[in-house]
Amino acid sequence: YTELTALSSEVHNIEGTVMEISRLQEIFTEKVLAQAEQISEVHRTAVETTENTRSGNEELREAIKEQCRVPSLVALLLRDGQLLSPLPRLVQLEVLAPPPWYPCL
């Protein structure tokens, strides 16, 4: 009889342990699924940020090209003397010499 009681007690302990493992496994599954949603959101945000950065870089390139076109046209007209012919030659030279940081050099 003692053996049977010990065996029954051991079965109850194992049953409790299995139930605890099942409960912990459910919590683990919930946490993994929650992290999967967060990881998906982070991935989506990273892709969106990359696209926005690429688009912004393209817009910057176009803006720099536009910025370079206008002074080039003005410089061409100045060089021909058609735009500022009544102004002193010194003023014309200052306009034709852009600063060293100017992106269109």
Side-chain angles (χ1 to χ4, degrees):
Y1 175 78
T2 321
E3 252 180 66
L4 195 54
T5 306
L7 187 59
S8 176
S9 176
E10 194 174 322
V11 167
H12 284 296
N13 285 340
I14 291 172
E15 183 182 15
T17 303
V18 168
M19 289 177 67
E20 179 67 13
I21 289 172
S22 175
R23 187 183 71 78
L24 292 172
Q25 191 170 12
E26 286 178 22
I27 292 171
F28 179 73
T29 301
E30 289 173 11
K31 298 295 182 184
V32 167
L33 290 176
Q35 287 178 354
E37 291 172 13
Q38 291 171 347
I39 289 171
S40 178
E41 179 65 20
V42 167
H43 177 263
R44 187 192 64 73
T45 303
V47 168
E48 189 176 296
T49 301
T50 301
E51 290 171 0
N52 288 342
T53 302
R54 185 175 297 124
S55 174
N57 285 340
E58 289 173 10
E59 288 182 22
L60 282 172
R61 278 189 211 98
E62 288 301 314
I64 289 171
K65 285 180 186 176
E66 287 299 318
Q67 183 182 10
C68 292
R69 285 185 191 135
V70 172
S72 297
L73 178 62
V74 171
L76 182 64
L77 292 173
L78 288 174
R79 190 174 306 126
D80 291 344
Q82 296 173 9
L83 188 63
L84 294 176
S85 56
L87 294 178
R89 187 73 177 145
L90 181 60
V91 172
Q92 290 178 14
L93 291 176
E94 286 178 16
V95 173
L96 286 175
W101 49 263
Y102 193 67
C104 302
L105 296 176

